[in-house]
Amino acid sequence: MRLASIIIAVILPMLILSQTVCFLTASPPSTHYSYVRTLTLYAPAVARSGGGALIQVNLTLAYPGSGMVYFTARPLVEVDTQATARIASYVASVVTGHNYYDYDYYVVMTSKSLVVGGPSAGALMTIGFIALFMNKTVNPYVCMTGMINPDGSIGPVGGLVDKLDAVSKAGYKYFLIPLGQRIVYVEKRIIKNLPWGYYETVKYEPVDLVKLGDEKGVKVIEVGSIFDAMKYFLNTTMSAEISTPEINKEIISGLKEYAEKNYEKASELYNDSQQLFKKLDMLTRIQLYSRYKNINEMINRLKDMLDKKYYVSAYYYSYDVLQQSLSLNLLLKILVGEEKINNLIESLYQSINETYKIIRNTSISNGINPINIDIHMDFYKAINTYTSLISKNETSYTSEDVDSIAKAMIYLYMIHQLYNLTRFFENYNVDLNESLMILYSIADSIVSYAYSLASDVGGSNQYINNAMKLFSMGIDAYTKNYTLASIGLFIQSIVYADLGIELLFINKEDVLINISDYLSNELSIYYSLMNKSNYLALLYLLGKEYRLMKQPADAIASYMKGVMTIIMLNSKIKALGLIEENNNPLPEIPSPTKTPSNSTNNTNTTQITINTTPLMERYYREIVYFLLGVFAGILIGLLIYKAMSDRRKVETVFTPI
């Protein structure tokens, strides 16, 4: 009994007090970090009730970390807003030349009103993380909206008129918006009263945001990339020299040879189809005539590209020409009774096996060859087509299945050509799992955003639809441990989703040309950093030829693929040399009566706090507190025990007999 009393009286208070002291004096979870930097910014948004609003965005950069992104919001926002934080932190690490996985990232978003979610704060978050990496102060007079793309470009967003109104009321003097969105269209409802009632019409009128901003005292500026935005927020600019990519001449020679060969093959298929076409009945001819004529135009266009010596684009365009030519030829053979679809599926199976014997020798022990990623992506597409065909009932085959067979066969045919060119391209040592997870996160974010954005605006396009299919295939390939194929599919889905979003908002050729110009320069910079990669030079030349043919959308897709390849190979790139101080800062602004720094909605907009307390010092301090708690607990316990003993003595003396 005496032992139990000692335990209760001494040990229990000691434990309680020691833990209480530790709890009261311990540092927050950041005790695991050697330093923590925080920054508060304000992002313009659209309130669900209508009008503009500002969201407070608190960013924290912690070192050392493991690449974790912690996100919370009040009220809750859409999932794509959360995924945007990961892209923003990743782009910031690439731009500043830091290893993404050496840090942890915290994002806390709070708003006084319900706002429409989405990735429109992505570019601003990227600027914030860049400022934290560089330990720089943000210009308090600048605000921005825009989606951050994985390549560092700033994508289009909605609600710009409402956001400009919120920015103006908050006292900002500069409002950065995505390139190409100076002119927006706003809904205007017109109601006319008639003797028997009324009718309502809706018109969309153009609004020039630059002029509207001037009326509100805000200078609206279009920016195409995060580097453009840095000039205004951080007074920095890009300093890398831009060198024109040059490709190995043997690669051009090989592509020229294959493009000419593919042209001849497509012509042979077309000539054969002409003879088959004559065997059809009149009604079937009428139904297939437009398709027949279109293939003839495609073949002539391919010939024109070869005559102009656009060999790279001619080679990649020959994919489409061969697929369409073979598809029509196979369909005509089935219609006239010269072929059966079951035989075509069997031929596809044999082609898959023959191709597998070739590509199974593509070892990754010596590094990753980017061309091999394209090869395995196309091979997986062919496999995916075959598995979907054999799962169908024989009576349910349609002309679309014939198209799929033709497409898969051409994929396998072109793989043999690409395989012969792999020796001209460099290998890179890459952590495949790390690259795969990064690409998956980016693809998941941008594809889901493209889908939700298309739903919001009431339309879509072929790029967004293809992006969704490719992303789904990429996940399927990953579940089957086909890493190279999944990487290629994720890259392609990102490219199509990004381009699809641009085309939802931008339909002017001059704006698309400006975007392709920016991406062209960016790819040239990375080309220099990558020690003049032939693969990047190939994509650069492909984009250049598309621009010469006035196909800016295809040029953007080519450049984007190059930049996404850079992300896949990012472990070998350091971009810190791209940033330097700008000697031409923003012009001075007279002190306004109300500025973002003294507005009630914008306190501490540029404050950066750095916690530099050494890690071991914190641990020592907590050990001291723990020991103090132990000693205090023992002392209190002894006093309690003594008081209990004295009480027993008194009770013993006065106990009745």
Side-chain angles (χ1 to χ4, degrees):
M1 188 58 117
R2 180 180 293 273
L3 180 60
S5 299
I6 293 175
I7 292 175
I8 294 174
V10 178
I11 305 299
L12 188 59
M14 178 188 72
L15 292 175
I16 293 174
L17 190 58
S18 63
Q19 293 303 313
T20 302
V21 172
C22 284
F23 174 78
L24 293 174
T25 58
S27 301
S30 62
T31 52
H32 298 293
Y33 303 121
S34 60
Y35 70 79
V36 175
R37 295 175 181 169
T38 62
L39 170 66
T40 299
L41 296 171
Y42 289 85
V46 178
R48 292 190 180 276
S49 58
L54 288 179
I55 301 175
Q56 180 176 300
V57 183
N58 294 94
L59 304 174
T60 300
L61 180 70
Y63 176 86
S66 56
M68 298 297 292
V69 178
Y70 301 94
F71 182 96
T72 187
R74 188 178 68 247
L76 296 177
V77 294
E78 283 82 348
V79 175
D80 51 9
T81 306
Q82 304 174 33
T84 299
R86 179 171 291 277
I87 299 178
S89 57
Y90 183 79
V91 171
S93 69
V94 173
V95 167
T96 56
H98 290 81
N99 188 329
Y100 176 76
Y101 290 95
D102 285 345
Y103 300 83
D104 284 341
Y105 311 84
Y106 294 80
V107 179
V108 180
M109 301 182 72
T110 54
S111 173
K112 295 181 179 179
S113 58
L114 292 176
V115 296
V116 178
S120 64
L124 188 67
M125 283 193 279
T126 306
I127 285 292
F129 280 122
I130 289 174
L132 292 175
F133 273 120
M134 299 178 66
N135 195 20
K136 290 183 68 69
T137 300
V138 176
N139 190 321
Y141 295 102
V142 183
C143 193
M144 175 170 60
T145 186
M147 179 181 72
I148 185 64
N149 292 322
D151 63 332
S153 63
I154 296 175
V157 294
L160 288 173
V161 173
D162 291 331
K163 291 176 181 179
L164 174 58
D165 185 57
V167 166
S168 172
K169 291 178 179 178
Y172 288 97
K173 295 302 174 183
Y174 292 87
F175 184 38
L176 309 185
I177 64 173
L179 181 67
Q181 288 200 281
R182 171 177 175 171
I183 305 297
V184 296
Y185 290 85
V186 296
E187 182 181 285
K188 184 177 181 180
R189 296 182 177 273
I190 301 174
I191 300 176
K192 289 189 176 181
N193 294 315
L194 300 171
W196 57 86
Y198 71 93
Y199 76 90
E200 182 180 359
T201 59
V202 177
K203 288 186 177 181
Y204 290 90
E205 296 184 345
V207 174
D208 188 332
L209 291 177
V210 173
K211 292 182 179 179
L212 182 61
D214 290 340
E215 296 173 4
K216 295 177 177 292
V218 179
K219 186 173 180 60
V220 178
I221 303 170
E222 290 183 297
V223 289
S225 73
I226 204 67
F227 293 108
D228 294 338
M230 288 169 62
K231 291 187 293 186
Y232 298 95
F233 274 102
L234 304 174
N235 196 31
T236 59
T237 187
M238 201 163 32
S239 63
E241 296 182 1
I242 299 177
S243 58
T244 303
E246 297 181 2
I247 193 171
N248 188 319
K249 293 182 179 179
E250 292 184 83
I251 296 175
I252 297 296
S253 177
L255 293 175
K256 175 178 178 289
E257 177 185 344
Y258 289 136
E260 291 173 344
K261 182 179 179 180
N262 295 340
Y263 166 74
E264 293 173 0
K265 186 175 181 65
S267 299
E268 291 174 3
L269 288 168
Y270 179 75
N271 293 333
D272 186 45
S273 297
Q274 277 185 315
Q275 303 303 317
L276 295 169
F277 195 75
K278 296 176 182 179
K279 299 179 182 181
L280 300 174
D281 59 81
M282 184 59 67
L283 181 60
T284 308
R285 287 188 192 182
I286 293 173
Q287 291 175 336
L288 294 176
Y289 179 74
S290 60
R291 184 172 177 181
Y292 173 79
K293 182 180 179 181
N294 180 59
I295 292 173
N296 184 41
E297 293 174 353
M298 292 178 70
I299 292 174
N300 291 334
R301 184 166 183 265
L302 177 58
K303 180 65 167 61
D304 182 62
M305 294 167 72
L306 288 169
D307 292 340
K308 293 180 178 178
K309 299 182 180 181
Y310 297 158
Y311 298 127
V312 180
S313 55
Y315 173 74
Y316 283 100
Y317 182 62
S318 67
Y319 266 72
D320 296 331
V321 179
L322 280 174
Q323 287 173 3
Q324 293 296 325
S325 301
L326 180 61
S327 178
L328 178 63
N329 186 261
L330 295 178
L331 180 60
L332 293 174
K333 285 182 177 180
I334 291 173
L335 292 174
V336 301
E338 294 184 8
E339 190 62 87
K340 293 182 178 180
I341 195 165
N342 287 331
N343 294 336
L344 296 177
I345 295 174
E346 179 61 28
S347 298
L348 176 60
Y349 174 73
Q350 294 175 0
S351 297
I352 288 174
N353 283 329
E354 291 173 2
T355 306
Y356 174 72
K357 293 176 183 178
I358 296 174
I359 67 173
R360 68 180 178 182
N361 297 321
T362 55
S363 172
I364 62 174
S365 58
N366 296 324
I368 298 299
N369 189 319
I371 289 293
N372 280 336
I373 292 177
D374 292 339
I375 287 174
H376 285 278
M377 176 179 66
D378 289 346
F379 184 67
Y380 185 78
K381 289 178 181 178
I383 294 175
N384 193 62
T385 297
Y386 174 74
T387 54
S388 64
L389 287 170
I390 61 175
S391 65
K392 297 183 69 173
N393 190 300
E394 292 185 11
T395 60
S396 63
Y397 291 127
T398 65
S399 60
E400 292 181 356
D401 294 317
V402 178
D403 293 339
S404 298
I405 291 173
K407 186 176 291 187
M409 286 182 168
I410 296 304
Y411 279 140
L412 298 171
Y413 170 78
M414 304 289 269
I415 283 174
H416 291 255
Q417 296 179 347
L418 287 175
Y419 181 77
N420 293 330
L421 295 174
T422 54
R423 67 183 186 276
F424 298 117
F425 294 90
E426 302 84 356
N427 291 344
Y428 298 93
N429 294 319
V430 178
D431 186 332
L432 282 181
N433 290 327
E434 177 182 311
S435 298
L436 179 63
M437 288 299 100
I438 291 174
L439 290 170
Y440 167 76
S441 298
I442 295 172
D444 185 36
S445 173
I446 197 167
V447 171
S448 62
Y449 176 58
Y451 173 75
S452 63
L453 199 58
S455 300
D456 291 342
V457 301
S460 187
N461 53 50
Q462 61 175 346
Y463 294 104
I464 293 177
N465 294 333
N466 288 337
M468 294 171 62
K469 293 178 183 177
L470 290 166
F471 180 65
S472 179
M473 288 177 64
I475 294 176
D476 186 59
Y478 172 70
T479 60
K480 295 175 181 176
N481 295 320
Y482 202 164
T483 305
L484 287 178
S486 59
I487 285 177
L489 290 164
F490 286 148
I491 288 176
Q492 202 68 25
S493 67
I494 293 168
V495 171
Y496 282 165
D498 186 32
L499 182 56
I501 291 171
E502 297 283 0
L503 295 177
L504 278 179
F505 291 90
I506 301 170
N507 52 17
K508 292 184 177 180
E509 185 174 310
D510 57 337
V511 177
L512 293 175
I513 290 174
N514 289 338
I515 295 173
S516 68
D517 287 341
Y518 157 71
L519 290 173
S520 172
N521 292 335
E522 184 179 18
L523 194 59
S524 298
I525 293 170
Y526 284 126
Y527 169 79
S528 301
L529 294 174
M530 291 287 292
N531 296 322
K532 302 185 177 180
S533 162
N534 274 314
Y535 186 74
L536 296 187
L538 173 69
L539 295 175
Y540 175 87
L541 185 56
L542 177 61
K544 179 181 178 181
E545 290 180 0
Y546 281 136
R547 290 167 69 196
L548 292 173
M549 292 185 289
K550 296 183 179 180
Q551 296 175 229
D554 292 325
I556 291 172
S558 177
Y559 294 140
M560 269 292 298
K561 185 175 182 181
V563 176
M564 294 313 304
T565 301
I566 294 300
I567 290 179
M568 191 258 301
L569 304 173
N570 182 54
S571 58
K572 297 299 178 185
I573 298 175
K574 294 297 180 184
L576 186 59
L578 297 181
I579 300 172
E580 68 176 11
E581 294 295 327
N582 190 351
N583 294 323
N584 298 307
L586 290 174
E588 294 184 3
I589 306 172
S591 299
T593 56
K594 183 180 181 183
T595 68
S597 58
N598 59 35
S599 169
T600 57
N601 293 326
N602 291 277
T603 57
N604 300 322
T605 54
T606 62
Q607 182 64 34
I608 298 180
T609 59
I610 305 174
N611 189 344
T612 57
T613 306
L615 186 62
M616 293 307 296
E617 181 181 331
R618 295 188 189 179
Y619 287 161
Y620 293 147
R621 184 180 61 194
E622 291 180 6
I623 290 173
V624 171
Y625 289 142
F626 177 79
L627 293 176
L628 287 174
V630 170
F631 292 138
I634 292 173
L635 180 60
I636 293 173
L638 291 173
L639 292 174
I640 293 173
Y641 176 71
K642 185 176 185 304
M644 291 174 64
S645 298
D646 292 343
R647 183 177 178 182
R648 275 199 206 93
K649 291 178 181 179
V650 172
E651 290 175 350
T652 302
V653 171
F654 293 99
T655 300
I657 300 176

